[in-house]
Amino acid sequence: MLLSCLEMERVYHSIVSTRINYVTAQNCNNLKMAEEQKKEEEVAIHGDVLETILSYVPLINLLPACFVSKTWNAAVSSSLSRFNKPKPWLLVHTQSIRRPHATAFFAYDPRSDIWLRINQKQPPQHVSPLRSSNSTLLHVLHPSNFSFSIDPFHLTWHHVNPPAVWRLDPIVAMVGPRIVVAGGACDFEDDPLAVEIYDISTRTWERTESMPATLKDSASSTWLSIAANTRTVFMMEQSTGVTHSFNPDSKTWYGPFDLRPDRSIYFSVITCVGGNLIMLGLLGDAEDVNYVKVWELNGESLEFGKEIGVMPTELVEKLKGEGTSLNSVRVSCMGGFFYIYIILGSLGNW
């Protein structure tokens, strides 16, 4: 049977179309089989393997991982509790010495060994310096007002009337619901040892008994190490170890106490861990530091309970940095974790 050219063309296109559909269907089946085979070859990451991997992820990056799935959320929680546990962050505030005296806020995460810059609500821009008392209390003292923030990330600032006595370098400490401001008075003030207490709940200032006369030559935050718990503020001369305590409830001073368990201590600082007072001391002399030791003190009499630890020699050398001497140190503590550092101009060694 003879076919016209038109009919032959229709038959040809029909055969070609059938062939194309067959090839397309075959390719789809091949792709599907390949994907299924690939899935069978893949090994799901879960359990201890996933938790171990997550233990190496910086803490700041674990938050998105919590939203991947319920399994990942559980793995993140388990990893943080079993492997690389979170540690208290060190919060560092810096302030420019040039106008407008801009401030910056940084945090160090020891679990991840990284520094983070944190955006925050800026405190009042004053010539007066931004200060801290090795606690969550951050403050700015100006002739016209007293500004302070007590939350850890300093998202909220309070602005109140200044204390009656003008001060340049006072001791400022948070004790329960009160802020104690002591010493550091200007030369023209009648009482350089004046003490005032600000009650946060009533928003009022109260003048109280002055600092002990034994502190008259060191009544400023430059020479005194300060520590406070919910009931008491402690003030220790860094060079001698002579210590006094003050109770804002009873408005009573106690001491002096001699905090020198070892006569080779030439410099010491204090901090509070929970309700206990901790002292860190440098032994030897500034040119030849023998040890850096930490002690726990017990009770109201501040008796030495036990020696907590001794800093390894290699860390002492690292703390000194490029210098040949170690004249002083600073310490911050939170959750039983110590940060010991020195101030070198605008920089510190950690």
Side-chain angles (χ1 to χ4, degrees):
M1 181 174 62
L2 298 176
L3 298 175
S4 66
C5 291
L6 180 60
E7 289 174 333
M8 289 180 65
E9 184 177 357
R10 287 176 179 173
V11 171
Y12 171 77
H13 282 295
S14 177
I15 295 172
V16 171
S17 177
T18 303
R19 174 62 180 169
I20 291 173
N21 290 337
Y22 172 76
V23 172
T24 302
Q26 188 177 31
N27 288 343
C28 289
N29 290 333
N30 291 340
L31 289 173
K32 187 175 181 180
M33 291 176 62
E35 290 177 358
E36 291 177 353
Q37 184 178 0
K38 183 178 180 181
K39 288 181 180 179
E40 291 177 358
E41 293 175 353
E42 289 180 348
V43 178
I45 301 176
H46 57 79
D48 288 347
V49 175
L50 177 58
E51 292 177 16
T52 302
I53 293 173
L54 291 173
S55 70
Y56 292 95
V57 177
L59 192 62
I60 197 71
N61 296 326
L62 283 180
L63 184 59
C66 294
F67 296 95
V68 173
S69 66
K70 291 182 178 180
T71 301
W72 275 56
N73 189 306
V76 169
S77 299
S78 180
S79 177
L80 290 175
S81 63
R82 295 179 56 200
F83 296 102
N84 196 354
K85 297 182 179 180
K87 302 177 180 65
W89 287 13
L90 175 68
L91 305 181
V92 177
H93 298 264
T94 63
Q95 183 178 31
S96 173
I97 60 175
R98 297 182 178 87
R99 290 182 180 275
H101 306 286
T103 60
F105 184 21
F106 301 89
Y108 174 69
D109 175 12
R111 176 192 178 275
S112 310
D113 191 25
I114 60 173
W115 282 93
L116 305 168
R117 180 157 187 166
I118 299 178
N119 296 323
Q120 63 167 165
K121 182 178 179 181
Q122 295 296 318
Q125 298 298 318
H126 288 311
V127 176
S128 301
L130 184 68
R131 297 181 182 271
S132 175
S133 301
N134 292 327
S135 67
T136 57
L137 173 64
L138 199 65
H139 60 90
V140 176
L141 182 59
H142 189 263
S144 62
N145 58 50
F146 176 63
S147 302
F148 65 92
S149 177
I150 56 179
D151 60 288
F153 285 96
H154 305 294
L155 301 177
T156 303
W157 281 84
H158 308 271
H159 311 289
V160 302
N161 293 328
V165 176
W166 174 233
R167 310 162 190 270
L168 292 176
D169 186 23
I171 294 95
V172 181
M174 182 100 179
V175 185
R178 300 179 179 90
I179 298 177
V180 177
V181 180
C186 295
D187 293 338
F188 57 78
E189 292 288 351
D190 294 332
D191 184 5
L193 299 173
V195 177
E196 295 173 84
I197 302 174
Y198 180 78
D199 191 312
I200 295 177
S201 58
T202 62
R203 298 175 63 88
T204 57
W205 287 97
E206 179 183 6
R207 183 78 175 262
T208 186
E209 182 183 354
S210 299
M211 299 172 70
T214 52
L215 296 177
K216 64 182 179 64
D217 295 326
S218 58
S220 71
S221 63
T222 300
W223 309 113
L224 294 178
S225 179
I226 311 302
N229 54 31
T230 57
R231 303 178 305 277
T232 307
V233 56
F234 304 90
M235 306 179 187
M236 181 182 70
E237 284 188 342
Q238 298 168 136
S239 60
T240 66
V242 174
T243 303
H244 290 266
S245 63
F246 177 70
N247 186 316
D249 287 331
S250 62
K251 301 177 179 59
T252 304
W253 285 92
Y254 300 92
F257 306 99
D258 182 12
L259 300 189
R260 280 291 188 266
D262 191 317
R263 289 299 147 185
S264 64
I265 297 175
Y266 67 91
F267 183 90
S268 55
V269 290
I270 52 176
T271 186
C272 276
V273 180
N276 296 326
L277 190 65
I278 304 296
M279 190 187 88
L280 181 143
L282 306 181
L283 287 75
D285 60 65
E287 302 299 328
D288 182 20
V289 183
N290 296 327
Y291 303 103
V292 177
K293 293 185 177 183
V294 181
W295 292 268
E296 181 180 20
L297 293 84
N298 299 323
E300 295 182 357
S301 62
L302 303 184
E303 296 178 355
F304 283 86
K306 61 180 178 180
E307 182 180 298
I308 296 177
V310 181
M311 181 181 289
T313 303
E314 58 271 20
L315 291 184
V316 176
E317 293 301 318
K318 185 176 180 180
L319 187 65
K320 290 166 62 176
E322 297 179 358
T324 58
S325 62
L326 187 59
N327 296 298
S328 64
V329 294
R330 297 289 182 269
V331 60
S332 292
C333 182
M334 185 64 68
F337 204 82
F338 289 85
Y339 289 97
I340 303 168
Y341 60 96
I342 63 175
I343 302 296
L344 296 174
S346 60
L347 300 175
N349 283 357
W350 309 87

